[in-house]
Amino acid sequence: MKNKIYCGEINKKYINKEIIIYGWVESYRNLGKLIFVNLKDREGVIQAVFKPQYKIAYNIATQLRNNFCVKIKGKILERTEKNKNLNLLTGEIEIIVFDILLLNKSKALPIDINSVNTEENRLKYRYLDLRQRKMTEILKKRSIIVSYIRKFLEKNKFLNIETPILTNSTLEGSRDYLVPSRINKHNFYALPQSPQIFKQLLMIAGLDRYYQIAKCFRDEDLRSDRQPEFTQIDIEMSFTKSVLFRCFIEKMIFNIWKNIKNISLSKFKILTFKQSMKYFGTDKPDLRNKLKLIDLSNFFIKKNINRIISISIKNKYLCNKKIQNLIKYIYYIKKYGTNDLNIFQVNHNKLINIFNIKNISIEHLNHKKIKDIINKNKSNHNDIIFIGTEIIHYNNISSMGYLRKKLGKDLNLIQKDKWYPLWIIDFPLFKKDKIGNLVPMNHPFTSPKNYSVDNMNNLLKKDPYQILSDSYDLVINGYEIGSGSSRINNYKIQKKIFDILQINKIVQKKNFGFFLEALKFGTPPHIGIALGLDRLVMLLTNTNNIRDVIAFPKTTSANCLLTKAPNKINYHLIKDLGLSFI
């Protein structure tokens, strides 16, 4: 089969050549003696000219309408100087058509692919929405990114190995999607939240460098950067250390940005989880926002275990804002648990309570302490200082972290043309969930940091929340791009972690018995990461909505407006599957 020629690829080297191209009518103009048609495909647009001397083609052209699908044959000629359109890649040439085949007609489209449409309509008619140049370019770039990643990893001796989609339920931190088994009635498969156990088993098998562009499924609340089914770049490696592995991932990410955007990323900064929460109130800070959280707890009589935090805003960022409008942030932060936010304006060495709200009183502070607060915030005359109690949320972002993020966006403090890659390391091994239970910060296969079998019991008795894990997240401009860790390769430690998490022995044997047994057979030290392909493409294509980078995404309520999934299943099918109890 000959290489296909796309409309947008035709240039001056094709002049005087006869070619055949396929595409859709983007627009047409019938000037009587000449008919001009803009023909488009995924690579661009070319101008086709129909002349009366080619009578059959000309007569068919009079019937053309937008979005008709056609095949044309003609000769490429250079346009006259006055008719050249240098804004188009094909603007210096045109095709004189002497044969046309109408492949299919088109009704008027229910969406305007050259205009703004509601997202509901875009998702309902996604196959038409994807004809937009912007959407086509995103999917093309996604394909290029995946191709580059594959080449990079395979050059470094990683094997592309597939893992099962129908599997058993594992503890990955979210709810599973379940699939009923017809043969084994009343039993279910779980769709994988990640290939975690399988990739560790591949390390035990001696396949020491694995990767997969893996489909994953999580039944969780959705947002602009999250989907129920998503794609991750899954990488696992034996016989290496965290520092070396992170350097390897850095090299891949650096080269992706260089190849895709021609941008050289700055040095990857490293923050511990504790540092990130201290200064930014989140474990995925956007370092383009230079605002930091300042701990003022020592200046006040603490009534509880929460920190008292300030955020300072320079007056120059407020010059076009009315000070009285700042009251909206008091109401904004209440939904995240801070009910005592006060807003002060610096008046030389004094703090003026703008709204006279005295939830956090400074009246008992002497002149020196107030001056110290001003100095600690590096504030000058007329600057604004927000002071409030910090409430830490289970999802590793605090109330003052939310305020920092909101202020950065509202006051245009984000350096939009900058890139700040960042590693967050030394996460706690455990955390509390919504109802206060002990759960893994990442997943239960994450290795504790600097441990031995003998000292694990002592660490656990002191305070399990103080145990650090050998884990890391890759964050770029406020988005968590990837998460990984060293894995537990010791049977006793893995068993101990399951016991700590109160996974009873029956469940351990049923769900993880095969894995625990595998750990007894010379398991090598191994380490890995899962990079979110969808979020990576979001950043590289300058969109902030994950649905823009997925061909057929779900809504925030996990519905597919195109296929109407999920839907009710036929009663007889349910009965045949042995699921009459549903």
Side-chain angles (χ1 to χ4, degrees):
M1 187 171 67
K2 293 182 179 179
N3 287 337
K4 179 176 172 59
I5 303 173
Y6 287 99
C7 296
E9 295 176 334
I10 301 168
N11 52 35
K12 292 173 74 173
K13 75 178 184 180
Y14 287 93
I15 288 175
N16 293 323
K17 291 184 179 179
E18 289 187 5
I19 63 169
I20 295 173
I21 53 176
Y22 299 81
W24 288 263
V25 175
E26 183 178 66
S27 63
Y28 62 91
R29 290 172 294 150
N30 189 337
L31 303 183
K33 292 184 178 180
L34 295 173
I35 297 175
F36 293 92
V37 172
N38 278 352
L39 197 67
K40 71 171 184 178
D41 59 20
R42 75 177 207 198
E43 297 299 331
V45 177
I46 187 171
Q47 179 173 277
V49 182
F50 294 83
K51 296 182 175 181
Q53 66 192 80
Y54 303 109
K55 187 175 180 181
I56 295 175
Y58 182 86
N59 289 339
I60 294 174
T62 62
Q63 304 169 38
L64 294 178
R65 296 294 180 268
N66 284 354
N67 298 297
F68 279 23
C69 185
V70 298
K71 169 187 175 182
I72 64 174
K73 183 177 182 180
K75 189 174 185 178
I76 299 298
L77 296 179
E78 186 171 7
R79 296 193 199 185
T80 60
E81 284 300 320
K82 68 175 183 178
N83 289 324
K84 287 183 178 179
N85 180 358
L86 299 182
N87 294 321
L88 279 179
L89 292 175
T90 59
E92 294 183 274
I93 51 93
E94 59 192 9
I95 181 169
I96 306 300
V97 182
F98 43 78
D99 192 15
I100 180 172
L101 176 63
L102 180 57
L103 297 173
N104 220 326
K105 295 183 178 181
S106 173
K107 298 194 312 182
L109 301 189
I111 65 173
D112 185 348
I113 60 175
N114 297 312
S115 185
V116 177
N117 299 276
T118 65
E119 187 169 52
E120 182 179 3
N121 228 27
R122 288 180 61 202
L123 295 181
K124 183 178 179 181
Y125 297 100
R126 187 62 163 186
Y127 49 91
L128 297 177
D129 181 54
L130 293 177
R131 289 186 187 173
Q132 288 189 76
R133 179 61 49 202
K134 172 191 170 186
M135 298 302 297
T136 301
E137 290 303 317
I138 287 174
L139 292 185
K140 282 166 58 181
K141 192 161 287 186
R142 181 182 176 118
S143 178
I144 293 168
I145 293 166
V146 169
S147 178
Y148 176 81
I149 290 167
R150 288 188 186 280
K151 290 174 183 175
F152 180 89
L153 291 171
E154 287 166 10
K155 183 179 178 181
N156 284 278
K157 299 186 177 180
F158 281 78
L159 300 176
N160 180 13
I161 305 174
E162 295 177 350
T163 54
I165 293 295
L166 296 176
T167 183
N168 203 356
S169 181
T170 58
L171 298 172
E172 299 283 347
S174 298
R175 290 178 295 272
D176 289 315
Y177 281 103
L178 300 178
V179 179
S181 170
R182 178 184 62 82
I183 296 172
N184 302 289
K185 295 187 186 301
H186 304 282
N187 287 278
F188 293 81
Y189 300 101
L191 301 183
Q193 293 186 35
S194 83
Q196 183 62 44
I197 287 181
F198 289 107
K199 64 186 177 185
Q200 291 190 244
L201 292 171
L202 290 171
M203 297 301 102
I204 297 172
L207 301 164
D208 62 304
R209 295 192 175 198
Y210 142 94
Y211 89 92
Q212 182 183 186
I213 309 297
K215 272 290 185 185
C216 303
F217 307 85
R218 293 186 181 179
D219 186 6
E220 56 189 354
D221 295 333
L222 306 183
R223 56 188 184 218
S224 63
D225 66 343
R226 184 183 285 170
Q227 280 277 293
E229 54 179 310
F230 57 95
T231 307
Q232 71 183 32
I233 307 153
D234 210 40
I235 305 170
E236 200 80 5
M237 187 177 183
S238 294
F239 311 116
T240 189
K241 302 285 187 182
S242 294
V243 173
L244 296 176
F245 184 72
R246 290 202 306 267
C247 286
F248 174 75
I249 298 300
E250 281 183 26
K251 184 179 178 182
M252 185 176 78
I253 296 297
F254 182 92
N255 287 335
I256 290 173
W257 252 257
K258 189 65 180 174
N259 278 273
I260 301 300
K261 297 186 76 69
N262 196 27
I263 288 173
S264 295
L265 291 176
S266 60
K267 181 178 173 60
F268 285 55
K269 191 177 178 66
I270 298 175
L271 288 175
T272 66
F273 173 79
K274 192 172 182 179
Q275 289 172 326
S276 186
M277 294 302 295
K278 178 180 179 179
Y279 295 118
F280 306 108
T282 176
D283 63 350
K284 43 182 177 291
D286 185 348
L287 297 187
R288 297 174 302 167
N289 178 356
K290 297 303 180 183
L291 295 179
K292 285 189 177 182
L293 307 186
I294 307 298
D295 192 342
L296 301 181
S297 301
N298 292 337
F299 291 95
F300 298 89
I301 300 171
K302 294 178 73 175
K303 296 180 181 179
N304 52 42
I305 61 172
N306 298 313
R307 298 191 301 167
I308 295 176
I309 295 296
S310 66
I311 300 175
S312 177
I313 305 293
K314 297 296 180 186
N315 181 56
K316 64 180 180 179
Y317 297 124
L318 297 164
C319 58
N320 295 322
K321 309 278 184 183
K322 290 185 178 179
I323 297 296
Q324 293 304 311
N325 289 341
L326 297 178
I327 196 169
K328 69 181 180 182
Y329 296 108
I330 293 175
Y331 299 111
Y332 169 80
I333 201 172
K334 279 185 177 181
K335 64 183 178 181
Y336 299 110
T338 293
N339 295 310
D340 57 5
L341 184 69
N342 282 240
I343 304 177
F344 299 92
Q345 187 167 34
V346 178
N347 187 343
H348 299 293
N349 288 325
K350 296 181 181 179
L351 290 176
I352 307 300
N353 194 328
I354 296 174
F355 301 110
N356 203 30
I357 298 172
K358 297 182 179 178
N359 292 324
I360 290 181
S361 175
I362 63 169
E363 293 175 351
H364 71 285
L365 300 180
N366 59 37
H367 178 73
K368 183 180 180 306
K369 284 192 174 183
I370 290 177
K371 187 176 179 181
D372 287 344
I373 288 175
I374 294 171
N375 290 337
K376 194 168 184 179
N377 280 277
K378 298 179 181 178
S379 297
N380 300 310
H381 182 62
N382 284 334
D383 289 352
I384 297 295
I385 299 178
F386 295 80
I387 302 178
T389 301
E390 182 180 47
I391 307 298
I392 304 293
H393 295 269
Y394 73 94
N395 59 349
N396 298 336
I397 182 167
S398 72
S399 53
M400 296 301 280
Y402 277 113
L403 180 61
R404 171 188 172 271
K405 187 175 179 180
K406 176 73 171 168
L407 288 169
K409 182 179 178 182
D410 289 356
L411 301 178
N412 295 317
L413 303 179
I414 308 296
Q415 301 168 291
K416 294 184 179 179
D417 59 341
K418 300 291 184 181
W419 296 96
Y420 288 101
L422 165 71
W423 288 107
I424 305 293
I425 65 171
D426 291 353
F427 283 82
L429 190 61
F430 303 108
K431 67 175 182 178
K432 290 181 180 179
D433 65 9
K434 290 181 182 180
I435 57 177
N437 292 327
L438 190 75
V439 295
M441 177 68 84
N442 191 346
H443 53 61
F445 315 105
T446 301
S447 177
K449 191 170 188 177
N450 301 325
Y451 73 93
S452 69
V453 177
D454 296 328
N455 70 12
M456 273 297 291
N457 283 327
N458 293 331
L459 289 170
L460 290 165
K461 285 177 183 176
K462 287 179 182 178
D463 184 358
Y465 296 106
Q466 296 303 313
I467 302 175
L468 296 181
S469 63
D470 189 2
S471 61
Y472 37 83
D473 280 3
L474 176 59
V475 177
I476 302 179
N477 290 2
Y479 287 98
E480 179 195 313
I481 297 305
S483 183
S485 68
S486 290
R487 319 305 191 187
I488 297 169
N489 71 322
N490 181 287
Y491 166 80
K492 291 182 179 179
I493 292 293
Q494 186 63 78
K495 188 79 168 59
K496 175 65 69 177
I497 296 295
F498 285 160
D499 292 340
I500 293 165
L501 295 171
Q502 298 183 358
I503 303 171
N504 69 56
K505 288 181 171 51
I506 295 173
V507 174
Q508 285 187 37
K509 185 174 181 179
K510 179 183 176 184
N511 288 5
F512 304 106
F514 69 95
F515 181 64
L516 289 169
E517 184 179 21
L519 290 174
K520 298 176 182 178
F521 299 116
T523 302
H526 57 285
I527 193 167
I529 195 168
L531 298 163
L533 176 63
D534 307 309
R535 290 182 187 174
L536 203 62
V537 177
M538 274 176 61
L539 289 178
L540 290 164
T541 56
N542 301 318
T543 180
N544 58 7
N545 191 331
I546 203 168
R547 292 186 287 279
D548 284 344
V549 303
I550 298 172
F552 299 101
K554 306 289 190 295
T555 66
T556 52
S557 55
N559 292 312
C560 175
L561 298 182
L562 174 64
T563 64
K564 302 296 188 289
N567 210 335
K568 291 181 179 179
I569 299 297
N570 182 282
Y571 169 77
H572 297 293
L573 177 59
I574 294 174
K575 191 173 180 181
D576 288 343
L577 289 173
L579 302 177
S580 57
F581 56 90
I582 292 181

